Amino acid sequence: MNAIDITVIVVVCAAAVAAVGAIIYRKIRHKGGCCGCEGCSACDRCKPKK
């Protein structure tokens, strides 16, 4: 493997780790998804009716 191959592998791994970290961060902060109700498909079922 040369330097370009190693660089590509490192960049892809860093992007994957960043994506997983962002998903976990959003889950912890309750942003997005069903309970955050920011445009999810079940938004009308998540919040109580007024």
Side-chain angles (χ1 to χ4, degrees):
M1 290 187 359
N2 58 20
I4 294 173
D5 293 336
I6 294 171
T7 303
V8 169
I9 292 171
V10 168
V11 169
V12 169
C13 289
V17 168
V20 170
I23 290 169
I24 292 170
Y25 176 77
R26 289 176 60 96
K27 183 72 173 174
I28 290 172
R29 296 293 179 188
H30 301 293
K31 295 181 179 178
C34 187
C35 294
C37 282
E38 293 182 7
C40 70
S41 61
C43 193
D44 60 337
R45 289 172 280 190
C46 287
K47 298 208 176 185
K49 297 192 186 232
K50 294 180 180 179

Short mmCIF file of all heavy atoms in Angstrom, two decimals:
data_model
loop_
_atom_site.label_atom_id
_atom_site.label_comp_id
_atom_site.label_asym_id
_atom_site.label_seq_id
_atom_site.Cartn_x
_atom_site.Cartn_y
_atom_site.Cartn_z
N MET A 1 0.84 -1.18 0.00
CA MET A 1 0.00 0.00 0.00
C MET A 1 0.88 1.24 0.00
O MET A 1 1.85 1.30 0.73
CB MET A 1 -0.90 0.02 1.24
CG MET A 1 -1.96 -1.04 1.15
SD MET A 1 -3.28 -1.15 2.34
CE MET A 1 -3.15 0.04 3.54
N ASN A 2 0.45 2.18 -0.81
CA ASN A 2 1.22 3.42 -0.84
C ASN A 2 0.52 4.48 -0.01
O ASN A 2 -0.51 4.24 0.63
CB ASN A 2 1.43 3.88 -2.30
CG ASN A 2 0.12 4.08 -3.03
OD1 ASN A 2 -0.92 4.24 -2.41
ND2 ASN A 2 0.18 4.08 -4.35
N ALA A 3 1.06 5.68 -0.02
CA ALA A 3 0.56 6.76 0.82
C ALA A 3 -0.86 7.17 0.44
O ALA A 3 -1.67 7.52 1.31
CB ALA A 3 1.48 7.97 0.73
N ILE A 4 -1.20 7.13 -0.83
CA ILE A 4 -2.55 7.52 -1.27
C ILE A 4 -3.58 6.53 -0.74
O ILE A 4 -4.65 6.94 -0.27
CB ILE A 4 -2.60 7.62 -2.81
CG1 ILE A 4 -1.71 8.77 -3.27
CG2 ILE A 4 -4.03 7.82 -3.28
CD1 ILE A 4 -1.57 8.86 -4.77
N ASP A 5 -3.29 5.25 -0.79
CA ASP A 5 -4.22 4.25 -0.25
C ASP A 5 -4.46 4.45 1.24
O ASP A 5 -5.60 4.38 1.71
CB ASP A 5 -3.68 2.84 -0.49
CG ASP A 5 -3.64 2.45 -1.94
OD1 ASP A 5 -4.41 3.03 -2.74
OD2 ASP A 5 -2.82 1.56 -2.29
N ILE A 6 -3.41 4.68 1.97
CA ILE A 6 -3.52 4.89 3.41
C ILE A 6 -4.32 6.15 3.70
O ILE A 6 -5.19 6.18 4.59
CB ILE A 6 -2.13 4.93 4.07
CG1 ILE A 6 -1.47 3.55 3.93
CG2 ILE A 6 -2.21 5.36 5.52
CD1 ILE A 6 -0.02 3.52 4.33
N THR A 7 -4.08 7.21 2.95
CA THR A 7 -4.81 8.47 3.13
C THR A 7 -6.30 8.28 2.87
O THR A 7 -7.14 8.76 3.64
CB THR A 7 -4.25 9.56 2.20
OG1 THR A 7 -2.85 9.71 2.46
CG2 THR A 7 -4.96 10.87 2.41
N VAL A 8 -6.64 7.56 1.82
CA VAL A 8 -8.05 7.30 1.50
C VAL A 8 -8.70 6.49 2.61
O VAL A 8 -9.83 6.81 3.05
CB VAL A 8 -8.18 6.59 0.14
CG1 VAL A 8 -9.59 6.08 -0.08
CG2 VAL A 8 -7.76 7.51 -0.99
N ILE A 9 -8.04 5.49 3.11
CA ILE A 9 -8.58 4.66 4.20
C ILE A 9 -8.79 5.50 5.46
O ILE A 9 -9.83 5.40 6.11
CB ILE A 9 -7.67 3.46 4.48
CG1 ILE A 9 -7.71 2.49 3.29
CG2 ILE A 9 -8.06 2.75 5.77
CD1 ILE A 9 -6.69 1.38 3.36
N VAL A 10 -7.84 6.35 5.78
CA VAL A 10 -7.95 7.20 6.97
C VAL A 10 -9.11 8.18 6.82
O VAL A 10 -9.90 8.39 7.75
CB VAL A 10 -6.62 7.94 7.25
CG1 VAL A 10 -6.80 9.03 8.28
CG2 VAL A 10 -5.56 6.95 7.68
N VAL A 11 -9.27 8.79 5.64
CA VAL A 11 -10.35 9.75 5.41
C VAL A 11 -11.71 9.06 5.49
O VAL A 11 -12.64 9.58 6.11
CB VAL A 11 -10.16 10.46 4.06
CG1 VAL A 11 -11.39 11.25 3.67
CG2 VAL A 11 -8.95 11.37 4.10
N VAL A 12 -11.85 7.88 4.91
CA VAL A 12 -13.11 7.16 4.96
C VAL A 12 -13.44 6.74 6.39
O VAL A 12 -14.58 6.87 6.84
CB VAL A 12 -13.07 5.94 4.02
CG1 VAL A 12 -14.26 5.03 4.24
CG2 VAL A 12 -13.02 6.40 2.57
N CYS A 13 -12.47 6.27 7.12
CA CYS A 13 -12.70 5.89 8.52
C CYS A 13 -13.07 7.10 9.37
O CYS A 13 -13.96 7.02 10.23
CB CYS A 13 -11.47 5.21 9.10
SG CYS A 13 -11.21 3.55 8.44
N ALA A 14 -12.41 8.23 9.15
CA ALA A 14 -12.73 9.44 9.90
C ALA A 14 -14.15 9.91 9.59
O ALA A 14 -14.87 10.35 10.49
CB ALA A 14 -11.73 10.54 9.59
N ALA A 15 -14.57 9.80 8.34
CA ALA A 15 -15.93 10.20 7.97
C ALA A 15 -16.96 9.28 8.63
O ALA A 15 -18.00 9.74 9.11
CB ALA A 15 -16.09 10.17 6.45
N ALA A 16 -16.67 7.99 8.69
CA ALA A 16 -17.58 7.04 9.33
C ALA A 16 -17.68 7.32 10.83
O ALA A 16 -18.77 7.32 11.40
CB ALA A 16 -17.12 5.62 9.08
N VAL A 17 -16.57 7.57 11.47
CA VAL A 17 -16.57 7.88 12.90
C VAL A 17 -17.32 9.18 13.16
O VAL A 17 -18.08 9.29 14.13
CB VAL A 17 -15.12 7.93 13.45
CG1 VAL A 17 -15.08 8.52 14.84
CG2 VAL A 17 -14.51 6.55 13.43
N ALA A 18 -17.13 10.18 12.32
CA ALA A 18 -17.84 11.45 12.47
C ALA A 18 -19.34 11.27 12.31
O ALA A 18 -20.14 11.86 13.04
CB ALA A 18 -17.31 12.47 11.47
N ALA A 19 -19.75 10.45 11.36
CA ALA A 19 -21.18 10.20 11.14
C ALA A 19 -21.80 9.50 12.34
O ALA A 19 -22.87 9.88 12.81
CB ALA A 19 -21.38 9.38 9.87
N VAL A 20 -21.13 8.49 12.86
CA VAL A 20 -21.64 7.78 14.04
C VAL A 20 -21.67 8.72 15.24
O VAL A 20 -22.64 8.73 16.01
CB VAL A 20 -20.80 6.52 14.33
CG1 VAL A 20 -21.14 5.91 15.67
CG2 VAL A 20 -20.98 5.50 13.22
N GLY A 21 -20.65 9.52 15.39
CA GLY A 21 -20.62 10.49 16.49
C GLY A 21 -21.75 11.50 16.39
O GLY A 21 -22.37 11.85 17.40
N ALA A 22 -22.05 11.97 15.19
CA ALA A 22 -23.15 12.91 15.00
C ALA A 22 -24.49 12.27 15.32
O ALA A 22 -25.36 12.90 15.95
CB ALA A 22 -23.15 13.44 13.57
N ILE A 23 -24.67 11.02 14.93
CA ILE A 23 -25.92 10.32 15.23
C ILE A 23 -26.09 10.16 16.74
O ILE A 23 -27.16 10.40 17.29
CB ILE A 23 -25.94 8.95 14.53
CG1 ILE A 23 -26.08 9.15 13.03
CG2 ILE A 23 -27.07 8.08 15.07
CD1 ILE A 23 -25.85 7.88 12.22
N ILE A 24 -25.03 9.77 17.42
CA ILE A 24 -25.09 9.60 18.87
C ILE A 24 -25.34 10.95 19.55
O ILE A 24 -26.15 11.05 20.48
CB ILE A 24 -23.81 8.93 19.40
CG1 ILE A 24 -23.75 7.49 18.91
CG2 ILE A 24 -23.74 8.99 20.93
CD1 ILE A 24 -22.43 6.80 19.18
N TYR A 25 -24.67 11.99 19.11
CA TYR A 25 -24.85 13.33 19.70
C TYR A 25 -26.28 13.80 19.53
O TYR A 25 -26.89 14.31 20.47
CB TYR A 25 -23.88 14.31 19.05
CG TYR A 25 -24.08 15.73 19.53
CD1 TYR A 25 -23.60 16.11 20.78
CD2 TYR A 25 -24.73 16.68 18.75
CE1 TYR A 25 -23.77 17.40 21.24
CE2 TYR A 25 -24.91 17.97 19.20
CZ TYR A 25 -24.43 18.33 20.44
OH TYR A 25 -24.62 19.61 20.89
N ARG A 26 -26.84 13.63 18.34
CA ARG A 26 -28.22 14.05 18.10
C ARG A 26 -29.20 13.23 18.93
O ARG A 26 -30.21 13.74 19.39
CB ARG A 26 -28.56 13.94 16.62
CG ARG A 26 -27.87 15.00 15.79
CD ARG A 26 -28.15 14.81 14.32
NE ARG A 26 -29.57 14.89 14.02
CZ ARG A 26 -30.20 15.98 13.60
NH1 ARG A 26 -29.51 17.07 13.40
NH2 ARG A 26 -31.48 15.96 13.35
N LYS A 27 -28.91 11.96 19.13
CA LYS A 27 -29.77 11.10 19.94
C LYS A 27 -29.74 11.56 21.40
O LYS A 27 -30.77 11.61 22.06
CB LYS A 27 -29.31 9.65 19.82
CG LYS A 27 -30.16 8.68 20.56
CD LYS A 27 -31.49 8.50 19.86
CE LYS A 27 -32.27 7.39 20.53
NZ LYS A 27 -33.59 7.26 19.99
N ILE A 28 -28.57 11.89 21.90
CA ILE A 28 -28.44 12.34 23.29
C ILE A 28 -29.14 13.68 23.49
O ILE A 28 -29.80 13.90 24.49
CB ILE A 28 -26.95 12.43 23.69
CG1 ILE A 28 -26.36 11.02 23.79
CG2 ILE A 28 -26.78 13.17 25.01
CD1 ILE A 28 -24.86 11.01 23.99
N ARG A 29 -29.01 14.56 22.54
CA ARG A 29 -29.60 15.90 22.63
C ARG A 29 -31.06 15.94 22.17
O ARG A 29 -31.67 16.99 22.16
CB ARG A 29 -28.80 16.91 21.80
CG ARG A 29 -27.40 17.09 22.29
CD ARG A 29 -27.43 17.75 23.63
NE ARG A 29 -26.08 17.91 24.12
CZ ARG A 29 -25.80 18.31 25.32
NH1 ARG A 29 -26.74 18.59 26.16
NH2 ARG A 29 -24.55 18.43 25.71
N HIS A 30 -31.62 14.80 21.79
CA HIS A 30 -33.02 14.67 21.35
C HIS A 30 -33.35 15.59 20.18
O HIS A 30 -34.39 16.22 20.14
CB HIS A 30 -33.98 14.95 22.50
CG HIS A 30 -33.78 14.04 23.66
ND1 HIS A 30 -34.06 12.69 23.58
CD2 HIS A 30 -33.32 14.26 24.90
CE1 HIS A 30 -33.77 12.15 24.75
NE2 HIS A 30 -33.32 13.07 25.56
N LYS A 31 -32.45 15.66 19.24
CA LYS A 31 -32.69 16.45 18.04
C LYS A 31 -32.89 15.49 16.88
O LYS A 31 -32.01 14.72 16.56
CB LYS A 31 -31.53 17.38 17.74
CG LYS A 31 -31.35 18.43 18.79
CD LYS A 31 -30.22 19.35 18.45
CE LYS A 31 -30.07 20.41 19.53
NZ LYS A 31 -28.97 21.28 19.29
N GLY A 32 -34.04 15.58 16.26
CA GLY A 32 -34.33 14.70 15.15
C GLY A 32 -34.93 13.40 15.62
O GLY A 32 -35.09 13.15 16.81
N GLY A 33 -35.34 12.60 14.70
CA GLY A 33 -35.94 11.33 15.04
C GLY A 33 -37.36 11.49 15.51
O GLY A 33 -37.96 12.54 15.45
N CYS A 34 -37.93 10.44 16.02
CA CYS A 34 -39.36 10.44 16.38
C CYS A 34 -39.65 11.35 17.56
O CYS A 34 -40.60 12.11 17.54
CB CYS A 34 -39.81 9.02 16.66
SG CYS A 34 -41.57 8.91 16.92
N CYS A 35 -38.88 11.29 18.60
CA CYS A 35 -39.20 12.07 19.80
C CYS A 35 -38.81 13.53 19.67
O CYS A 35 -39.34 14.38 20.38
CB CYS A 35 -38.53 11.46 21.01
SG CYS A 35 -39.19 9.83 21.39
N GLY A 36 -37.89 13.86 18.78
CA GLY A 36 -37.51 15.25 18.57
C GLY A 36 -38.50 15.97 17.67
O GLY A 36 -38.63 17.18 17.70
N CYS A 37 -39.24 15.21 16.87
CA CYS A 37 -40.27 15.72 15.96
C CYS A 37 -39.77 16.88 15.11
O CYS A 37 -40.35 17.96 15.11
CB CYS A 37 -41.53 16.08 16.71
SG CYS A 37 -42.49 14.63 17.11
N GLU A 38 -38.72 16.67 14.42
CA GLU A 38 -38.23 17.65 13.47
C GLU A 38 -38.41 17.09 12.07
O GLU A 38 -37.47 16.81 11.35
CB GLU A 38 -36.78 17.99 13.75
CG GLU A 38 -36.59 18.72 15.06
CD GLU A 38 -35.16 19.11 15.30
OE1 GLU A 38 -34.32 18.93 14.40
OE2 GLU A 38 -34.87 19.57 16.40
N GLY A 39 -39.65 16.87 11.68
CA GLY A 39 -39.92 16.43 10.33
C GLY A 39 -39.95 14.93 10.16
O GLY A 39 -39.85 14.44 9.05
N CYS A 40 -40.13 14.17 11.24
CA CYS A 40 -40.18 12.73 11.08
C CYS A 40 -41.55 12.32 10.54
O CYS A 40 -42.52 13.07 10.61
CB CYS A 40 -39.88 12.01 12.39
SG CYS A 40 -41.14 12.16 13.65
N SER A 41 -41.66 11.14 10.01
CA SER A 41 -42.91 10.69 9.40
C SER A 41 -44.00 10.42 10.42
O SER A 41 -45.17 10.39 10.08
CB SER A 41 -42.65 9.44 8.56
OG SER A 41 -42.18 8.40 9.40
N ALA A 42 -43.66 10.23 11.67
CA ALA A 42 -44.64 9.96 12.71
C ALA A 42 -44.87 11.17 13.61
O ALA A 42 -45.29 11.05 14.75
CB ALA A 42 -44.19 8.77 13.55
N CYS A 43 -44.63 12.34 13.12
CA CYS A 43 -44.71 13.56 13.93
C CYS A 43 -46.12 13.77 14.48
O CYS A 43 -46.28 14.23 15.60
CB CYS A 43 -44.28 14.76 13.12
SG CYS A 43 -43.99 16.22 14.13
N ASP A 44 -47.14 13.44 13.71
CA ASP A 44 -48.51 13.66 14.19
C ASP A 44 -48.87 12.71 15.33
O ASP A 44 -49.76 12.99 16.13
CB ASP A 44 -49.51 13.52 13.05
CG ASP A 44 -49.46 12.14 12.42
OD1 ASP A 44 -48.44 11.45 12.54
OD2 ASP A 44 -50.47 11.76 11.79
N ARG A 45 -48.17 11.59 15.47
CA ARG A 45 -48.44 10.64 16.53
C ARG A 45 -47.57 10.88 17.76
O ARG A 45 -47.86 10.38 18.83
CB ARG A 45 -48.23 9.22 16.04
CG ARG A 45 -49.32 8.81 15.05
CD ARG A 45 -48.97 7.50 14.46
NE ARG A 45 -48.00 7.79 13.40
CZ ARG A 45 -47.58 6.95 12.52
NH1 ARG A 45 -47.98 5.72 12.55
NH2 ARG A 45 -46.71 7.30 11.59
N CYS A 46 -46.51 11.65 17.63
CA CYS A 46 -45.60 11.86 18.74
C CYS A 46 -46.15 12.86 19.77
O CYS A 46 -46.06 12.65 20.95
CB CYS A 46 -44.25 12.39 18.25
SG CYS A 46 -43.26 11.17 17.42
N LYS A 47 -46.69 13.96 19.28
CA LYS A 47 -47.12 15.02 20.16
C LYS A 47 -48.59 14.86 20.51
O LYS A 47 -49.38 14.47 19.67
CB LYS A 47 -46.88 16.36 19.49
CG LYS A 47 -45.41 16.58 19.23
CD LYS A 47 -45.08 18.01 19.21
CE LYS A 47 -43.57 18.11 19.05
NZ LYS A 47 -43.06 19.39 19.12
N PRO A 48 -48.96 15.16 21.74
CA PRO A 48 -50.38 15.08 22.10
C PRO A 48 -51.19 16.13 21.34
O PRO A 48 -50.69 17.22 21.06
CB PRO A 48 -50.39 15.33 23.59
CG PRO A 48 -49.11 16.03 23.89
CD PRO A 48 -48.14 15.58 22.85
N LYS A 49 -52.42 15.79 21.05
CA LYS A 49 -53.28 16.72 20.35
C LYS A 49 -53.76 17.80 21.30
O LYS A 49 -54.01 17.56 22.46
CB LYS A 49 -54.46 15.98 19.75
CG LYS A 49 -54.01 14.97 18.73
CD LYS A 49 -55.15 14.44 17.93
CE LYS A 49 -54.59 13.34 17.08
NZ LYS A 49 -54.82 13.35 15.75
N LYS A 50 -53.89 19.00 20.76
CA LYS A 50 -54.30 20.15 21.59
C LYS A 50 -55.80 20.28 21.60
O LYS A 50 -56.51 19.95 20.74
CB LYS A 50 -53.67 21.42 21.04
CG LYS A 50 -52.18 21.40 21.19
CD LYS A 50 -51.59 22.67 20.65
CE LYS A 50 -50.07 22.64 20.80
NZ LYS A 50 -49.45 23.81 20.28
#
